[in-house]
Amino acid sequence: MQISGNTIFIPGATSGIGLALALRLKDKGNTVIVGGRRTEVLEQLAREHGFDTVRIDTTDAASIASASAEVIAKHPSLNVLVAMAGIMRIEDWHRPDGFLDDAEQVVTTNLLGPIRLIAAFIEQLQGQPDATIVTVSSGLAHAPLRVTPSYNATKAAIHMLSESVRLQLADTSVKVMELVPPAVATELLPGQSRSPVAVPLDAFVDEVMHLIETQPDAHEILVERVKFLRFGEVRGDYDQVVQTLNSTDPHAAS
Ligand SMILES: NC(=O)c1ccc[n+]([C@@H]2O[C@H](COP(=O)([O-])OP(=O)(O)OC[C@H]3O[C@@H](n4cnc5c(N)ncnc54)[C@H](OP(=O)(O)O)[C@@H]3O)[C@@H](O)[C@H]2O)c1
């Protein structure tokens, strides 16, 4: 995607990476529509930053349908969807009550949500001369963090979904760009923003913006810090990567 001149919808931009990216993209001359569940935060973002906002719960098919219709009606030139909304849960798979509820929520939010969002926007995007679907996976798509099995699995699925949909849409105007964050200092897990080993949010988004600007056709946005996880199998040190990853604080690894 080009770094400016787009109309971009980011469901999952009320905090963290989504909000930081929304602010940077707006500063670069894009129209950015912010989505999320927290209406008071949406109102504050509209007031303080002039964003157009929409309430959306990406676990709810009806909410996706109504929010997408509203966004498309108000912004007929919308050409970028960033499927940012995501959750992470620590699970214990020794007993069903240690993981099943969380696993269902994680799959519904992190995998079914982006699939439904793409379905809601795919015709709109194909009607634009230059359009992009930005998916959001994780370094954990490529090396497992022991305490978050469902999260890792959904992010691996997002990676493969991105690879596959990109191939299928090669005959259209729609590109697929996968953002692959390492551990970033947000509240994805409670307390993660204070982790000394998470990449500071501003530094992460600076690097992401630089990569988009210099590699507008990149399939994956890979900041330096994620390459340790992303390329373990390629380098041949996967076992070492998994061991190192799981010997650190879980906040350090999402
Ligand atoms: N931070 C990291 O270390 C890291 C690493 C790799 C990948 N990622 C990915 O980056 C994305 C953003 O995470 P973050 O770190 O920025 O965490 P965050 O600060 O917790 O942000 C999550 C965002 O998703 C939204 N969201 C969650 N569930 C939603 C739902 N059902 N419907 C609509 N919006 C929903 C939240 O908004 P509301 O609460 O207002 O709904 C919020 O805006 C996620 O997909 C995450 O997996 C993060």
Side-chain angles (χ1 to χ4, degrees):
M1 65 178 269
Q2 297 304 314
I3 197 77
S4 60
N6 304 290
T7 303
I8 306 173
F9 178 41
I10 315 182
T14 47
S15 59
I17 295 172
L19 176 56
L21 204 55
L23 290 165
R24 294 300 169 87
L25 288 166
K26 184 169 181 289
D27 284 351
K28 275 282 181 187
N30 298 281
T31 299
V32 182
I33 303 106
V34 166
R37 292 164 301 179
R38 286 170 286 171
T39 41
E40 68 290 356
V41 180
L42 292 170
E43 283 164 14
Q44 186 193 345
L45 291 174
R47 226 176 21 248
E48 290 181 3
H49 300 285
F51 284 118
D52 190 9
T53 65
V54 63
R55 189 185 182 278
I56 183 169
D57 179 348
T58 63
T59 64
D60 176 357
S63 174
I64 290 179
S66 65
S68 61
E70 182 183 330
V71 169
I72 291 168
K74 267 201 208 162
H75 300 277
S77 61
L78 184 122
N79 69 325
V80 179
L81 168 69
V82 182
M84 180 65 69
I87 59 170
M88 186 177 200
R89 296 280 186 268
I90 291 179
E91 300 164 350
D92 177 354
W93 279 59
H94 293 93
R95 303 182 329 273
D97 63 356
F99 69 91
L100 188 55
D101 288 351
D102 283 328
E104 288 180 358
Q105 280 182 43
V106 167
V107 171
T108 307
T109 309
N110 294 6
L111 182 55
L112 192 52
I115 289 172
R116 285 175 168 157
L117 280 167
I118 293 170
F121 283 93
I122 192 62
E123 287 174 328
Q124 165 68 22
L125 295 174
Q126 284 183 89
Q128 304 304 311
D130 184 15
T132 306
I133 297 167
V134 180
T135 56
V136 183
S137 65
S138 166
L140 299 181
H142 304 279
L145 184 65
R146 185 180 58 84
V147 294
T148 57
S150 301
Y151 181 85
N152 309 336
T154 58
K155 294 303 185 179
I158 289 294
H159 171 63
M160 194 47 73
L161 192 78
S162 309
E163 293 279 301
S164 318
V165 174
R166 181 182 303 115
L167 287 178
Q168 220 180 90
L169 297 182
D171 59 354
T172 74
S173 60
V174 185
K175 299 190 177 73
V176 178
M177 178 180 263
E178 179 188 345
L179 176 62
V180 193
V184 178
T186 70
E187 285 296 304
L188 183 63
L189 281 179
Q192 180 173 326
S193 60
R194 294 187 300 281
S195 167
V197 287
V199 179
L201 185 54
D202 275 350
F204 172 69
V205 180
D206 280 348
E207 200 175 339
V208 168
M209 291 296 287
H210 175 73
L211 289 169
I212 295 174
E213 193 156 16
T214 53
Q215 302 170 32
D217 296 322
H219 290 178
E220 294 180 51
I221 296 297
L222 297 165
V223 299
E224 281 307 312
R225 273 284 294 278
V226 84
K227 292 180 180 173
F228 169 69
L229 297 171
R230 172 68 182 89
F231 295 122
E233 280 198 336
V234 176
R235 286 189 308 265
D237 61 0
Y238 175 80
D239 290 344
Q240 182 60 44
V241 169
V242 174
Q243 195 187 342
T244 306
L245 176 65
N246 286 287
S247 63
T248 57
D249 169 357
H251 296 129
S254 53

